[in-house]
Amino acid sequence: MQSPRTPLHIPTSPSQGPKSPLSGLLRRARGFSFISGSRRSGSNSGGESGQNTLPAELWLKIFAHIPLYLLPHVSLTCRTFRFLAQPLMFTVISTHPPRDQSHSHSMTSSSSRYHKRVAERLELFFSPRIRPVVSHCKVSPPSATSDDGEDDDLIDYIFTVLPKLPNLRVLSCRHVRLTPARLHIIHSLSSLSGLTLDSCYGQMSDFPSAESFPLKEVTFKHSASQHKSQMPLGPTNLFLSPSHLEHLHATTVHVLSSLSHSPEPFSSLRTLDLPVECVSSEDFIPAVMRCPAVEHLVLRTAPKSTSLPSPHFSGLPEQVLPHLHSFTGPHHFAALFLRGRRVVDGHGLTVHIPHPTRPTSLLPSLTKLSHRSLHSLTCSLSTPGLSSVLSLMQALHATFPLLATLCIPQPALSTNDMKTLLNELSSHAGVRELTLRVEGRDKFGLWIPPEESEKDAMGCFSKVCRALGKTYPGIERVRFLHGSERPAEDVGEGSGGGEGEGEGRSLSVSWVKSKESGLFLRTGD
């Protein structure tokens, strides 16, 4: 799921704060007409009325709400929109394009052409028009051995010019050797709040500063195919600030040592995302005891993993993770972490089971929770057909009267199956949000255009909306997933968060129930 872009703060007058990096762009943009695209020329533009023009600042705020994939269309509208919208397409940049493998037989000429392409990209990204809007920079050489020789000089140059990006919020590095000079540059980026280190390497002892980087979100990834000559960069306290860190994502158990040996507790840490192997480590309990504010715990498993580690503990002490109310991971561990948790401020427990499972395995794990504690459940079923969904939902209705949000992305149900399901279920007054997958014409294994699969979902809803209202009298929002679902492992690079793990990418259509008329109204998802 694509993360929302953070709007840039653009002062419109000197009294509103320091001079904006976009002030030069705005001064030039004010010289354009924002309807006809013609250039103003002082008093010669008097033929245009004030209602035919809008300030550049307002257009930039409008464009900030437009999805990234639509901005190229906006930039083709007129030259004024091109001038304003084109830079916004570069909020996320990647310094290294994919290397062309078709000329691998000529490595010298191929490398020369590749370095030229990188230099051209950098010239564009760090130009005065583009660099103020860049919020996320990815430094990703094409291979694990690229950070050497001439490539090493190129990456040194990239790190040298990073301070020229005034609004840089997130830096992602992959296969990058972190030298003391590069670490010093990262430490000097005052606007940086997020850092991702994917298969990076280096000796942290070479960096003289003992002060932790003031980062709010840190992601550590380690590739099993990392070159043997490279020393993996272990998660150290250099990147983990006890007073600033809010979200930590890691794919290695070595992060537990850094957490458990921290002299101060991580009082701001809200999300802890770890590999499931951590539960078998002796450092797990000491590590989470240093994280008293954690609310969301994610235990990641490999997509094709068939076995789970045995926990090193039989239950959590009361003083460990006292604020935990959300769990994402294998259903076997849900009760281990959430059993006995109290409902705080009316908010119950949230359980997200990323990988498909059988209802006969899932239900025993869920029933170990208090029947009045489960508030939200997201789970996919591995067994297709109506019977598996019906048996699960019947048990949930009977066991959890306060369940308010239910999402079952798999399996897909036909319109007839949906009718049968809703007619056979007992009424549940607590459910406020319901998400199911609709089986349309894509059931035959053919690709269906998104517009057509959306029509299938809307047609299904029109036939079952009355039954929905009877089964769930308190329903406020309904979402139907439709179209072919891409597997999670094929989605691409993620941010490290756990909310979308295992679901892949799906199209959806949503409806909300009007409080005035009681009718369902279509809404943007």
Side-chain angles (χ1 to χ4, degrees):
M1 185 171 65
Q2 184 178 358
S3 301
R5 288 176 289 144
T6 303
L8 294 173
H9 173 64
I10 306 170
T12 57
S13 66
S15 62
Q16 288 181 276
K19 187 176 180 181
S20 167
L22 288 178
S23 58
L25 172 65
L26 295 176
R27 285 197 303 270
R28 292 186 59 189
R30 290 191 187 104
F32 286 92
S33 165
F34 291 93
I35 295 298
S36 62
S38 60
R39 182 78 178 183
R40 290 184 186 177
S41 57
S43 61
N44 294 335
S45 61
E48 295 183 3
S49 62
Q51 61 182 347
N52 287 336
T53 62
L54 286 177
E57 295 88 345
L58 184 55
W59 282 116
L60 285 173
K61 290 182 179 295
I62 293 173
F63 294 159
H65 294 278
I66 296 178
L68 188 61
Y69 69 93
L70 290 178
L71 285 177
H73 301 283
V74 174
S75 66
L76 294 176
T77 304
C78 63
R79 55 180 180 162
T80 298
F81 281 10
R82 175 183 175 87
F83 187 82
L84 288 175
Q86 191 178 49
L88 301 180
M89 294 187 286
F90 297 95
T91 55
V92 180
I93 62 173
S94 180
T95 59
H96 290 72
R99 186 184 288 271
D100 186 5
Q101 301 295 335
S102 59
H103 301 283
S104 57
H105 60 280
S106 178
M107 291 302 296
T108 303
S109 60
S110 177
S111 298
S112 176
R113 284 194 298 270
Y114 181 77
H115 290 151
K116 183 179 179 181
R117 290 176 61 197
V118 174
E120 291 172 348
R121 290 167 69 93
L122 295 178
E123 183 179 2
L124 171 64
F125 295 156
F126 291 90
S127 63
R129 278 192 64 203
I130 302 301
R131 65 190 184 198
V133 302
V134 175
S135 61
H136 185 176
C137 179
K138 300 178 181 180
V139 183
S140 179
S143 66
T145 58
S146 294
D147 193 1
D148 192 14
E150 188 175 354
D151 287 326
D152 186 52
D153 295 336
L154 183 60
I155 295 177
D156 276 338
Y157 171 75
I158 292 173
F159 273 84
T160 302
V161 295
L162 283 178
K164 295 183 178 181
L165 303 176
N167 290 302
L168 185 64
R169 300 287 183 267
V170 181
L171 176 64
S172 299
C173 299
R174 184 171 183 266
H175 298 316
V176 171
R177 181 167 55 89
L178 294 180
T179 63
R182 296 172 182 176
L183 289 170
H184 179 75
I185 292 174
I186 295 176
H187 193 268
S188 68
L189 299 175
S190 58
S191 62
L192 195 68
S193 61
L195 178 65
T196 296
L197 301 178
D198 184 355
S199 303
C200 294
Y201 55 101
Q203 279 283 11
M204 294 297 94
S205 58
D206 295 337
F207 188 66
S209 175
E211 183 182 356
S212 299
F213 293 7
L215 300 169
K216 293 184 178 181
E217 183 165 6
V218 177
T219 301
F220 296 108
K221 298 181 181 180
H222 175 69
S223 173
S225 60
Q226 194 164 350
H227 199 269
K228 293 182 179 180
S229 63
Q230 300 169 345
M231 179 174 293
L233 176 67
T236 69
N237 290 334
L238 184 64
F239 305 104
L240 307 179
S241 171
S243 58
H244 295 87
L245 188 64
E246 297 179 3
H247 308 280
L248 174 61
H249 314 278
T251 62
T252 170
V253 298
H254 299 298
V255 71
L256 296 178
S257 176
S258 298
L259 294 175
S260 60
H261 290 89
S262 173
E264 300 178 21
F266 293 86
S267 56
S268 299
L269 187 60
R270 297 291 185 269
T271 302
L272 187 58
D273 184 350
L274 302 171
V276 71
E277 290 77 15
C278 286
V279 299
S280 61
S281 171
E282 295 182 357
D283 290 330
F284 182 79
I285 294 297
V288 296
M289 288 184 67
R290 306 300 290 166
C291 309
V294 166
E295 299 175 353
H296 312 283
L297 176 64
V298 181
L299 295 180
R300 291 187 176 270
T301 59
K304 299 181 180 179
S305 176
T306 57
S307 60
L308 294 173
S310 299
H312 186 70
F313 52 95
S314 57
L316 289 181
E318 291 184 3
Q319 69 274 18
V320 177
L321 303 179
H323 299 285
L324 182 68
H325 62 79
S326 175
F327 173 80
T328 297
H331 65 87
H332 312 76
F333 299 125
L336 181 63
F337 290 98
L338 298 180
R339 184 190 303 169
R341 299 288 169 176
R342 293 177 296 175
V343 178
V344 181
D345 298 330
H347 298 288
L349 305 179
T350 297
V351 177
H352 180 196
I353 310 301
H355 298 295
T357 185
R358 297 188 304 272
T360 53
S361 300
L362 176 61
L363 287 172
S365 299
L366 295 178
T367 52
K368 294 178 182 178
L369 303 175
S370 170
H371 71 284
R372 302 189 64 84
S373 63
L374 186 60
H375 173 84
S376 176
L377 173 64
T378 300
C379 61
S380 295
L381 302 181
S382 58
T383 52
L386 171 64
S387 59
S388 61
V389 181
L390 180 59
S391 62
L392 173 65
M393 296 182 70
Q394 284 177 334
L396 293 176
H397 282 206
T399 309
F400 301 105
L402 300 184
L403 181 65
T405 302
L406 178 60
C407 175
I408 304 179
Q410 289 288 0
L413 298 176
S414 66
T415 300
N416 290 333
D417 287 343
M418 199 84 72
K419 286 181 179 180
T420 303
L421 174 70
L422 295 172
N423 289 330
E424 294 193 14
L425 285 173
S426 59
S427 177
H428 191 293
V431 172
R432 298 290 183 267
E433 296 185 18
L434 178 67
T435 300
L436 297 172
R437 176 172 291 279
V438 176
E439 181 183 69
R441 284 166 285 180
D442 54 323
K443 65 180 179 180
F444 300 108
L446 301 175
W447 179 81
I448 303 297
E451 297 81 4
E452 297 300 321
S453 63
E454 182 176 303
K455 289 181 181 179
D456 293 340
M458 296 179 65
C460 175
F461 180 80
S462 66
K463 296 176 181 179
V464 303
C465 62
R466 181 171 298 180
L468 272 168
K470 291 182 179 180
T471 305
Y472 300 107
I475 196 74
E476 297 175 357
R477 183 174 185 263
V478 179
R479 185 165 68 115
F480 279 178
L481 308 177
H482 61 88
S484 299
E485 183 181 36
R486 292 175 59 187
E489 58 268 25
D490 297 333
V491 170
E493 288 191 18
S495 63
E499 292 301 322
E501 184 188 0
E503 289 184 19
R505 287 180 178 173
S506 297
L507 302 172
S508 65
V509 57
S510 300
W511 295 264
V512 294
K513 193 174 184 179
S514 171
K515 295 182 179 179
E516 291 77 15
S517 65
L519 300 176
F520 286 99
L521 305 177
R522 170 79 184 275
T523 182
D525 193 59

